[in-house]
């Protein structure tokens, strides 16, 4: 296990340390599950196989510890990179002023005049609505992939917020959190209505109930909307130095929500004193806090030196 899997993956940098640890943890669970006899009867395993499984199971925790020590810097490097490349609300506001968005506005206006769309024009409208709905909800791509036309027609309106709420039955965390909610403003809701009534019927398969479809009339496969989101921001000229994804947007929103939280915690004097579960405050705030402490200590040392000399 160590020589044929862990070492080659670490040496070739094919997998990160956390990924390898996750695989080893899954293997450990599997080795604990096999002796229970739920899949196979115990008599099917001879003594040599049982002893091999037991020895591997005993070694896996040590393997994870070694990998954690060797690759611990990868997590810090990733967090530092995220701190320097995080997106801001101002970056997302540029979407409405971008050329792809202006083209989508124009096409939605022409759609009300019963314009026949080409595949390129259809994709321009669909991508704009996808991206706008995604970043306004800070949502994973899953709810957009599984949003149904029938659920859109059952959307509920709130006068206090002037928004519509669309329920999505199928998504990643549906077992624990129930249906996902896509909240759209009345303006975006009107754009989606134009898309459903005038644009979507020109390409969608009549038997498909999904809200967003591709130019071939079928729904999006799992994981494909994520790529379309990244490809939309690049031509729009928004943060060309960063590959914008739905994950970047969700982290930006969670950062803003944490900053607005009245119960947020301040950084501890030493990073080693912080409890493990307190990972909420941002790395860039920690860096800023440490720099301020370093500068204050330098000033105190300088003043003490001056007093000694005088």
């Amino acid at each position: 296990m160590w020589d044929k899997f862990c070492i080659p993956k670490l040496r070739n940098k094919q997998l990160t340390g956390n990924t390898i640890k996750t695989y080893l943890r899954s293997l450990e669970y599997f080795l604990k599950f096999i002796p229970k006899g739920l899949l196979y009867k115990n008599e099917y395993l001879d003594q040599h196989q049982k002893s091999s499984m037991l020895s591997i199971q005993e070694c896996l925790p040590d393997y994870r510890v070694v990998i954690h020590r060797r690759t611990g810097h990868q997590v810090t490097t990733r967090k530092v990179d995220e701190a320097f490349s995080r997106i801001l609300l101002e970056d997302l506001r540029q979407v409405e002023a971008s050329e792809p968005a202006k083209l989508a506005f124009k096409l939605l206006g022409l759609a009300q005049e019963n314009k026949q769309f080409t595949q390129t024009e259809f994709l321009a409208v669909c991508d704009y609505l996808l991206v706008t709905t995604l970043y306004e909800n800070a949502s994973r791509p899953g709810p957009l992939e599984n949003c149904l036309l029938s659920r859109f027609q059952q959307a509920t309106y709130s006068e206090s917020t002037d928004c519509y709420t669309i329920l999505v039955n199928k998504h990643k965390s549906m077992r624990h959190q129930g249906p996902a909610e896509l909240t759209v403003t009345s303006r975006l809701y009107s754009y989606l209505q134009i898309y459903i009534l005038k644009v979507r019927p020109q390409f969608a398969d009549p038997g498909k109930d999904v809200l967003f479809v591709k130019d071939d009339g079928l729904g999006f496969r799992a994981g494909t909307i994520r790529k379309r989101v990244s490809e939309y921001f690049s031509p729009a000229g928004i943060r060309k130095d960063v590959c914008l994804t739905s994950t970047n947007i969700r982290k930006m929103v969670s950062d803003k929500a944490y900053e607005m939280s009245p119960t947020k915690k301040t950084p501890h004097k030493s990073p080693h004193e912080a409890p493990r579960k307190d990972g909420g405050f941002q790395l860039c705030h920690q860096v800023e806090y440490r720099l301020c402490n370093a500068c204050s200590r330098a000033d105190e040392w300088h003043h003490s030196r001056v007093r000694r000399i005088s």
Side-chain angles (χ1 to χ4, degrees):
M1 174 62 64
W2 179 257
D3 295 332
K4 295 184 179 180
F5 176 76
C6 297
I7 291 298
K9 298 300 182 182
L10 289 173
R11 183 181 295 121
N12 300 331
K13 297 181 179 180
Q14 295 177 346
L15 299 175
T16 62
N18 284 344
T19 303
I20 297 176
K21 289 190 295 182
T22 301
Y23 288 163
L24 295 179
R25 173 69 75 177
S26 299
L27 179 59
E28 185 176 356
Y29 288 153
F30 179 72
L31 293 177
K32 291 180 179 179
F33 174 76
I34 287 296
K36 295 181 179 180
L38 299 178
L39 285 180
Y40 303 98
K41 295 183 179 180
N42 287 329
E43 54 267 22
Y44 289 170
L45 299 175
D46 56 30
Q47 189 61 35
H48 175 70
Q49 292 172 334
K50 292 181 180 179
S51 59
S52 299
M53 291 171 55
L54 182 61
S55 61
I56 295 176
Q57 185 176 339
E58 292 176 351
C59 294
L60 289 178
D62 296 331
Y63 291 167
R64 293 200 311 272
V65 171
V66 174
I67 293 173
H68 176 75
R69 291 177 178 176
R70 290 189 180 184
T71 62
H73 65 282
Q74 294 178 354
V75 177
T76 305
T77 302
R78 176 176 57 81
K79 290 184 178 180
V80 172
D81 292 340
E82 290 177 353
F84 283 106
S85 62
R86 64 174 183 169
I87 61 176
L88 305 174
L89 287 174
E90 290 74 13
D91 299 327
L92 294 181
R93 292 192 183 102
Q94 298 177 20
V95 173
E96 298 297 325
S98 64
E99 292 301 324
K102 292 178 181 178
L103 176 61
F105 297 152
K106 179 181 177 181
L107 293 173
L108 286 170
L110 295 175
Q112 300 182 72
E113 302 175 3
N114 298 323
K115 171 183 170 55
Q116 293 297 316
F117 281 70
T118 63
Q119 289 186 346
T120 303
E121 293 171 340
F122 170 76
L123 292 176
V125 173
C126 185
D127 289 347
Y128 167 76
L129 296 176
L130 274 173
V131 172
T132 307
T133 306
L134 185 140
Y135 76 71
E136 285 193 358
N137 286 272
S139 169
R140 293 188 178 96
L144 296 177
E145 294 169 350
N146 299 306
C147 185
L148 301 179
L149 181 61
S150 56
R151 293 300 184 190
F152 177 84
Q153 296 170 349
Q154 297 172 347
T156 57
Y157 175 71
S158 173
E159 294 183 359
S160 59
T161 60
D162 192 26
C163 293
Y164 290 84
T165 301
I166 309 167
L167 296 181
V168 181
N169 302 340
K170 182 180 178 182
H171 61 101
K172 183 177 180 180
S173 55
M174 57 184 175
R175 292 182 57 190
H176 308 287
Q177 300 179 0
E181 295 183 358
L182 293 178
T183 303
V184 295
T185 61
S186 57
R187 181 180 67 91
L188 182 57
Y189 183 82
S190 63
Y191 290 159
L192 289 170
Q193 280 186 318
I194 298 173
Y195 161 78
I196 291 173
L197 296 176
K198 302 294 184 180
V199 182
R200 184 181 178 277
Q202 299 182 26
F203 293 87
D205 187 341
K208 291 295 179 181
D209 191 30
V210 289
L211 178 60
F212 295 104
V213 296
K214 299 179 294 182
D215 54 356
D216 60 358
L218 303 177
F220 288 92
R221 292 182 298 173
T224 54
I225 286 184
R226 186 187 306 271
K227 299 178 182 178
R228 299 186 73 89
V229 171
S230 302
E231 294 173 355
Y232 185 86
F233 284 108
S234 181
I238 301 171
R239 290 300 300 270
K240 294 184 178 180
D241 59 322
V242 180
C243 180
L244 290 181
T245 63
S246 58
T247 304
N248 299 127
I249 297 173
R250 294 179 66 242
K251 287 183 178 180
M252 182 270 295
V253 174
S254 64
D255 291 349
K256 288 296 180 182
Y258 176 78
E259 292 174 1
M260 297 170 61
S261 173
T263 59
K264 70 176 182 179
K265 300 180 181 179
T266 56
H268 294 256
K269 294 181 180 179
S270 171
H272 304 290
E273 298 176 4
R276 289 189 177 184
K277 63 180 180 179
D278 184 17
F281 55 81
Q282 299 303 309
L283 183 64
C284 57
H285 295 168
Q286 297 183 46
V287 173
E288 181 180 358
Y289 181 82
R290 293 173 186 174
L291 288 176
C292 292
N293 286 343
C295 292
S296 61
R297 288 195 298 268
D299 291 339
E300 292 176 0
W301 179 84
H302 175 71
H303 291 311
S304 64
R305 293 281 296 177
V306 171
R307 285 195 299 269
R308 291 178 185 175
I309 295 174
S310 60

